[in-house]
Amino acid sequence: MSAPVWSVDPRTGNRREQVATEATAEEIDKTVRAAHAAAAALADRAQRARLLRAAADLFDQHVDKVVECADAETALGPGRLSGELTRTTYQLRAFADIAEAGDFLDVRIDHADASLVPPRPDLRRWKVPLGVVAVYSASNFPLAFSVPGGDTASALAAGCPVVVKAHPDHPGTSELCAALLHRAAAEAGLPQEVLSVVHGFDAGVELVRHPLVAAAGFTGSVRGGRALFDAAAARPRPIPFHGELGSLNPVVVSEAAAAERAEEIGAGLAGSMTLGVGQFCTKPGLVLVPAGEAGDRLVTSLTAAVSDTEPGVMLDPRMRTAFVAGVRERAELPGVESPVTPGANGEHTVSGGFLTVDAERLAGGGDYDLLVEECFGPVTVIVRYGDVAQVSAVLARLPGNLTATAHLGAAEAAGTEDTGDAGAARLLAELTPLAGRVLVDGWPTGVAVAPAQHHGGPYPATTSTSTSVGGTAIERWLRPVTYQNTPQPLLPAELRDADPADVPRTVNGVRQS
Amino acid sequence: MSAPVWSVDPRTGNRREQVATEATAEEIDKTVRAAHAAAAALADRAQRARLLRAAADLFDQHVDKVVECADAETALGPGRLSGELTRTTYQLRAFADIAEAGDFLDVRIDHADASLVPPRPDLRRWKVPLGVVAVYSASNFPLAFSVPGGDTASALAAGCPVVVKAHPDHPGTSELCAALLHRAAAEAGLPQEVLSVVHGFDAGVELVRHPLVAAAGFTGSVRGGRALFDAAAARPRPIPFHGELGSLNPVVVSEAAAAERAEEIGAGLAGSMTLGVGQFCTKPGLVLVPAGEAGDRLVTSLTAAVSDTEPGVMLDPRMRTAFVAGVRERAELPGVESPVTPGANGEHTVSGGFLTVDAERLAGGGDYDLLVEECFGPVTVIVRYGDVAQVSAVLARLPGNLTATAHLGAAEAAGTEDTGDAGAARLLAELTPLAGRVLVDGWPTGVAVAPAQHHGGPYPATTSTSTSVGGTAIERWLRPVTYQNTPQPLLPAELRDADPADVPRTVNGVRQS
């Protein structure tokens, strides 16, 4: 008998209903083989676009049902979840456009040239889908980074069938979303095996090891993600594993910024770090604030704003326990203070807060390295610095991040001050190696779905150089193939001289409009 | 004392001279730190281009010396080696052009748009160099895939300092090439630490494990490459490992092709499989030939041409031993015949030859799986098939390849015959999943350096989806970074509204010319 999969209400800890069973190894094999067999059905880019648009329309038609189910399993609230669903349908439609436009095929054509050494044959390159993609859902985004999320949308747009390993925190939502995607597949004339959902921890491990799985996308913890990354790398035939594992998202508030708008920054930080009960992968987890009066004002503002924040329910009791323990362990370090103590509040909720520490202590490393590890939940660490050398010393200790943020004074931002060694240019040069997205005067929570977005960063933020948000996320599921001296009738349409598909192409090194 | 590194003449097995010592762990650390420190000097794309062009000019000026040294260590012959050097300087100049043009930065700019959900901030994305790149030289290309080769040229073009682990078969050539590259660096006003060469097996392992090494490129065997790939994946912070490990390069000769030009195909195959003493990564190692009279003529032609080929000296005695043993093991399988027996010929040379086997036997697997493993050296396996179902059955057993080739009849190639299930379109559809380059009516040896080239393929051909030849090889050494709401003066020039660098950009999803 397969283990039952229960939908659980995190507000009460009570089981709602059994929604599925955990997949056995045999079931994973059957599911992956069926997905593999469905790959050919995804050959047509226009049909993929129809699938993605049909899915977006169906989610639009079932907003209430989807949001209600997701809220019952995650306690993220209807407001946040309908916003997340809007983001999700926008994303599905954006990838439909991308599939149709065909820019991602990166078509390059070099005509034969006998005058070169060595002589050049006719070469025509494009990108083909890798095959079945395994998607590991995130706990904290039951829609936008789960069954109908960015990994699924980009993989389907690329022409890859998807097998999603559902997150145990929202199995019912996962099944509901899968049902809508199956209806969308039927509407687009595609077999429903282009997308499947499986449940269970062991099923997830089986999945990444399956010989017919060609790539994987993951959003989650360092521990879980690294284990799957290692399994992907240890396969007889290793596969690309695009995992987003964790991020501290450092913020540096310059002396000038603190002097000019301490209160605004303190309040903004409180909003960003407690958003979604601190369960964002882009939560600012370490904030460098100047010592002295302006920095004190910032902390005072933060104190007031965080104290005003309502307690919230975390995604599951295990996370709640880890959060409470993680805060306690950090708070017990000598010299660490907690002006607003984060932690348990009632039986199922937690309240947000923050810790403070001197930059010199943190830069000393040792036990203080714990403070540069992500702590999932509504807590951030305020690091008080005396000078820019201390800022540099702290930044030098940081692992890779999704984001890094600078809050600058008006003159610094305008480039009118004497930048020199201590200026804003140097600070941005120090932040860039740490992250995949560098922000000025903003907050990292909130990741726009856009062509120029990059949601990824040096390990452990990401296990590859890829992004999981934005148009270029599709690049993860493709590989190039070049056809040499291949007769026109045997070429894919996009590579023929008279391209009926009209995709953008680079011919003899020159981009055609 | 460090172990001495000797230059050895493969024609005699005699030591020529000691050219270096193996690098200790301390020396690797010092070398990588110096390379890391030199990264900032490579920030300017125009200066990288000057370095690459100065290097090409210096190699042009020292052709005789470089070719003489490489020939003394590899026995590949001055003709082949001067051709390889021409290819190498062409490649260096091509990457100089690529560095200057800046297309590889893949600049994407999205202007702020408050009307979107969620509202879009100003986002500006480009690609930055990863950091120090470790390059593992190939045995069989002492120039084009070694110290001044494609990995080095593309990494320097990307802005990454390079540490090359020299191949033990050509340490003297490696040192000579490094000296020329150091002169080029001086001429371009760059520190010589932008490129270093180290020797020794243990040094190579230390190198891939060094915390400041950010990526690796490798060309070599499955065994060596997989060990380094595993080490790269097992690091506390895993790094991209772009390894080219081995390829069988299957060729399918259709019934019609054999009927129309059996003799031409037989002779062409002999030339391709014995080129460079069969030591090309793109050597056709498995050739499907129809049973019957036309196929017999092909084999007769091959027999004559291979018998006429001069014996050659392999790169080192270890490879020679492995080749002789590999051929023997394959030839001993029941039903495998060797019309022209490949193997030892004199004390230091080998002669080329080929084996034949029935498709049905090969498709049966078991011990016959040995025949679908690459055997480095001048040998190929001719598989005689009765019908297209047998072709499919053999192709289904193959691992990933750099190339896959179809020889077609004139009507098949013209698309005028009834393609149906047995036609050329189906054959190409079967070959495409097996390889990174698909050829029609040609031979896979010879890899043009061109924008549309792809030299890579499913594992074990490559450990990633990347190419090591052609303009897109630069993509391996970069990662995207997006700047959000960053003031103009603090942006890199390429991302400012008035781009003084004039690189190609995609703005709000629309490519600018």
Side-chain angles (χ1 to χ4, degrees), chain B residues 93-385:
Chain B
R93 291 189 178 100
F95 278 111
D97 294 346
I98 286 168
E100 272 180 347
D103 207 296
F104 71 92
L105 298 170
D106 198 12
V107 171
R108 293 168 197 247
I109 295 175
D110 297 329
H111 295 132
D113 186 342
S115 72
L116 295 172
V117 180
R120 187 169 80 187
D122 184 273
L123 296 169
R124 293 166 190 249
R125 174 187 184 270
W126 75 335
K127 292 192 179 178
V128 298
L130 280 176
V132 178
V133 169
V135 170
Y136 294 83
S137 294
S139 62
N140 55 348
F141 281 89
L143 306 170
F145 287 81
S146 291
V147 176
D151 286 351
T152 296
S154 58
L156 290 172
C160 297
V162 172
V163 179
V164 184
K165 193 280 191 180
H167 195 278
D169 281 353
H170 33 75
T173 310
S174 298
E175 287 292 326
L176 175 57
C177 292
L180 291 173
L181 283 161
H182 288 160
R183 276 181 56 187
E187 286 181 18
L190 288 164
Q192 73 171 36
E193 289 79 9
V194 296
L195 179 119
S196 314
V197 169
V198 298
H199 302 266
F201 178 85
D202 293 342
V205 178
E206 283 291 329
L207 186 59
V208 81
R209 289 185 179 151
H210 195 287
L212 289 177
V213 167
F218 172 94
T219 312
S221 69
V222 172
R223 205 175 57 171
R226 183 64 194 250
L228 290 168
F229 170 87
D230 289 344
R235 292 164 50 115
R237 181 174 64 88
I239 56 172
F241 185 89
H242 302 286
E244 183 195 316
L245 309 193
S247 183
L248 194 63
N249 304 301
V251 177
V252 179
V253 180
S254 78
E255 288 272 7
E260 290 172 22
R261 46 180 209 284
E263 290 73 17
E264 181 192 330
I265 294 171
L269 172 57
S272 182
M273 60 152 282
T274 59
L275 197 67
V277 201
Q279 299 169 123
F280 275 81
C281 43
T282 51
K283 180 199 76 178
L286 188 89
V287 186
L288 285 137
V289 172
E293 180 272 337
D296 289 347
R297 282 193 287 125
L298 191 159
V299 172
T300 303
S301 159
L302 175 64
T303 302
V306 170
S307 303
D308 281 352
T309 307
E310 291 292 313
V313 177
M314 289 191 70
L315 290 158
D316 67 42
R318 192 179 47 78
M319 283 184 200
R320 186 175 180 275
T321 305
F323 168 66
V324 172
V327 167
R328 187 181 305 125
E329 203 183 349
R330 286 162 175 78
E332 281 170 359
L333 291 167
V336 172
E337 294 174 21
S338 49
V340 181
T341 307
N345 179 310
E347 198 182 347
H348 296 288
T349 55
V350 296
S351 54
F354 64 97
L355 310 174
T356 60
V357 68
D358 281 349
E360 231 164 328
R361 247 182 234 272
L362 186 58
D367 289 346
Y368 291 91
D369 281 346
L370 183 61
L371 296 174
V372 300
E373 281 179 29
E374 182 182 12
C375 183
F376 200 68
V379 62
T380 195
V381 177
I382 305 294
V383 183
R384 303 297 297 268
Y385 68 85

Side-chain angles (χ1 to χ4, degrees), chain A residues 57-222:
Chain A
D57 291 346
L58 283 166
F59 278 98
D60 278 347
Q61 289 159 30
H62 295 88
V63 173
D64 293 347
K65 195 172 167 187
V66 172
V67 166
E68 187 190 339
C69 182
D71 183 52
E73 290 188 309
T74 66
L76 287 169
R80 144 73 195 271
L81 287 165
S82 30
E84 187 180 329
L85 189 53
T86 304
R87 173 197 186 83
T88 304
T89 53
Y90 179 83
Q91 197 160 247
L92 288 163
R93 292 190 177 100
F95 278 111
D97 294 346
I98 286 168
E100 272 181 347
D103 207 298
F104 73 91
L105 299 170
D106 197 12
V107 171
R108 293 167 197 247
I109 295 176
D110 296 330
H111 295 130
D113 186 342
S115 72
L116 295 171
V117 180
R120 188 170 78 187
D122 184 271
L123 296 169
R124 294 166 190 251
R125 174 187 184 271
W126 75 335
K127 292 191 179 176
V128 297
L130 280 176
V132 178
V133 169
V135 170
Y136 294 83
S137 294
S139 62
N140 55 348
F141 281 88
L143 307 169
F145 288 81
S146 291
V147 176
D151 286 351
T152 296
S154 58
L156 290 172
C160 297
V162 172
V163 180
V164 183
K165 193 279 188 181
H167 195 279
D169 281 353
H170 33 74
T173 311
S174 299
E175 287 293 324
L176 175 57
C177 292
L180 291 172
L181 283 160
H182 288 160
R183 276 181 57 186
E187 287 182 17
L190 288 164
Q192 72 170 36
E193 290 77 12
V194 297
L195 180 119
S196 313
V197 169
V198 298
H199 302 265
F201 178 85
D202 293 341
V205 177
E206 283 292 328
L207 187 59
V208 81
R209 289 185 179 150
H210 195 286
L212 290 176
V213 167
F218 173 93
T219 312
S221 70
V222 172

Side-chain angles (χ1 to χ4, degrees), chain A residues 108 110 125 226 233 235-236 408 413-414 432-433 435-440 450-452 454 459 465 479-484 487 489, chain B residues 108 110 125 226 229 233 235-236 413-414 432 435-440 450-452 454 459 465 472 479-484 487 489:
Chain A
R108 293 167 197 247
D110 296 330
R125 174 187 184 271
R226 183 62 192 251
R235 291 165 50 114
L408 305 174
T432 300
R437 181 163 54 111
V438 176
L439 300 86
V440 173
H454 185 68
Y459 188 89
T465 57
R479 71 176 176 94
V481 172
T482 292
Y483 289 91
Q484 178 170 327
Chain B
R108 293 168 197 247
D110 297 329
R125 174 187 184 270
R226 183 64 194 250
F229 170 87
R235 292 164 50 115
T432 299
R437 181 162 53 110
V438 176
L439 299 86
V440 173
H454 185 69
Y459 187 88
T465 57
T472 53
R479 70 175 176 95
V481 172
T482 292
Y483 290 90
Q484 177 171 329

